């Protein structure tokens, strides 16, 4: 079986003690490729180092995460824009809006998001979008910015069916992570009605581990559990889910 974990942060310090073993388990589980979204200026060095250490099975994106938009965001964005000149990056991310944790920098988050969206268009790169408690602000921005040149994924999608369809209408993919295996996750109710050619698999490791690993640190090998769950819902097998989602990820990220 082959999978692409389209959103994973194994470069963070949670994995410093056993990163080799984590990557080996991912390979054994059939995870052929891991895509790293950046977090902030401080995370760039570790992300690049991890990419160089495991060449061939990881690729990186560059962006400023919404929860890291603070008073220094203009300087941080200049640094990230400079970093994006390196052609090694396959996308802009992760960027977005998060009004759940903190609304102090709401206005700045919107400014940073719009600016980084403009870069993705100029650079012709896909974008990985994080959104929490902010869909109704975020979707109109995407609708306004979409002129045919914007492509990307709403990572770890947790919105409503109506929001899912709006995103798909805009040409976006939906990242399906471990949260769909939770009984409380309402995305399960309409998952089977979403077009499979717009679904991507992801872990968001070290966060949001799928059942049966809830409460543990998440890692790319666990993407298999999400694939099995999706296979059940779509009445197919995990192998087919692997094929479909790998094809989708390759198309979006031009891999
Ligand atoms: Zn993330």
């Amino acid at each position: 079986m082959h999978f692409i974990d389209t959103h994973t942060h194994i470069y963070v310090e949670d994995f410093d003690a056993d990163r080799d073993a984590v990557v080996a388990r991912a390979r054994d589980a059939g995870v052929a490729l891991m895509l790293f979204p950046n977090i902030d200026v401080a995370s760039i060095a570790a992300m690049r180092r991890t990419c160089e250490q495991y060449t061939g099975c990881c690729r990186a994106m560059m962006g400023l995460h919404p929860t890291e938009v603070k008073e220094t965001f203009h300087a941080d964005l200049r640094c990230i824009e400079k970093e994006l000149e390196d052609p090694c990056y396959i996308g802009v991310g992760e960027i977005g809006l998060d009004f759940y944790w903190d609304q102090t920098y709401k206005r700045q988050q919107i400014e940073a998001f719009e600016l980084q969206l403009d870069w993705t268009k100029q650079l012709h790169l896909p974008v990985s979008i994080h959104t929490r408690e902010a869909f109704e602000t975020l979707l109109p921005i995407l609708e306004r910015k979409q002129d045919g040149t914007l492509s990307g994924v709403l990572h770890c999608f947790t919105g409503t069916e109506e929001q899912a369809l709006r995103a798909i209408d805009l040409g976006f993919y939906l990242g399906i992570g471990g949260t769909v295996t939770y009984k409380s996750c309402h995305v399960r109710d309409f998952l089977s009605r979403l077009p499979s050619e717009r679904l991507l698999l992801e872990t968001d490791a070290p966060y949001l581990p799928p059942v049966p690993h809830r409460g543990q640190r998440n890692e790319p090998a666990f993407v298999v559990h999400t694939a099995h769950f999706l296979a059940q819902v779509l009445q197919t097998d995990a192998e087919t889910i692997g094929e479909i989602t790998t094809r989708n990820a390759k198309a979006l990220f031009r891999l």
Side-chain angles (χ1 to χ4, degrees), residues 7 9 37 65 94 130 155 204:
H7 194 109
H9 301 274
H65 192 290
E94 60 184 288
H130 168 109
H155 113 78
D204 202 17

Side-chain angles (χ1 to χ4, degrees), residues 22 25 34 43 63 66 85-86 100-101 110 125 159 165 179-180 193 213 234 254:
V22 167
R25 282 196 292 272
M34 296 172 277
S43 63
E85 288 172 12
D86 189 328
Y100 174 78
W101 293 106
I110 294 170
L125 287 173
L165 296 176
T179 47
V180 294
R193 292 197 288 272
H213 295 286
L234 302 184
R254 295 179 219 123

Side-chain angles (χ1 to χ4, degrees), residues 30-237:
V31 180
L33 201 57
M34 296 172 277
L35 308 186
F36 302 159
N38 187 50
I39 300 165
D40 58 13
V41 171
S43 63
I44 297 174
M47 188 179 73
R48 292 194 67 122
R49 215 182 309 122
T50 307
C51 248
E52 280 156 24
Q53 200 172 348
Y54 305 102
T55 21
C57 67
C58 3
R59 306 295 296 275
M61 296 174 235
M62 182 48 51
L64 182 64
H65 192 290
T67 61
E68 306 311 311
V69 173
K70 308 267 162 74
E71 61 274 17
T72 60
F73 83 104
H74 277 124
D76 295 343
L77 284 175
R78 272 196 297 279
C79 186
I80 281 168
E81 186 178 21
K82 186 99 193 98
E83 187 66 24
L84 264 172
E85 288 172 12
D86 189 328
C88 75
Y89 294 109
I90 59 159
V92 173
E94 60 184 288
I95 69 172
L97 300 175
D98 189 321
F99 302 153
Y100 174 78
W101 293 106
D102 188 1
Q103 299 216 7
T104 319
Y105 296 103
K106 199 170 172 175
R107 190 177 51 80
Q108 291 86 343
Q109 277 194 34
I110 294 170
E111 186 184 334
F113 179 54
E114 294 207 18
L115 184 62
Q116 293 180 94
L117 274 181
D118 291 340
W119 296 346
T120 78
K121 292 167 65 167
Q122 285 155 17
L123 295 166
H124 304 288
L125 287 173
V127 59
S128 181
I129 296 177
H130 168 109
T131 172
R132 194 152 183 208
E133 305 277 322
F135 267 112
E136 291 312 312
T137 309
L138 188 124
L139 282 173
I141 295 175
L142 294 183
E143 279 157 358
R144 180 159 47 77
K145 295 273 183 192
Q146 182 57 286
D147 56 3
T149 61
L150 197 55
S151 69
V153 53
L154 294 185
H155 113 78
C156 193
F157 183 78
T158 52
T160 64
E161 182 169 12
E162 190 256 330
Q163 289 162 339
L165 296 176
R166 272 169 79 188
I168 286 167
D169 274 349
L170 278 171
F172 275 76
Y173 290 75
L174 305 179
I176 305 299
T179 47
V180 294
T181 67
Y182 304 169
K183 282 205 177 72
S184 58
C185 180
H186 61 276
V187 176
R188 294 160 71 125
D189 304 340
F190 57 85
L191 204 46
S192 65
R193 292 197 288 272
L194 298 175
S196 61
E197 67 274 12
R198 292 302 187 81
L199 304 180
L200 302 182
L201 280 179
E202 63 165 80
T203 58
D204 202 17
Y207 312 108
L208 306 169
V211 172
H213 295 286
R214 271 192 98 166
Q216 299 171 21
R217 178 190 67 176
N218 198 2
E219 62 174 68
F222 296 169
V223 85
V224 172
H225 300 292
T226 306
H228 276 285
F229 179 81
L230 204 52
Q232 257 177 32
V233 173
L234 302 184
Q235 295 177 320
T236 179
D237 50 62

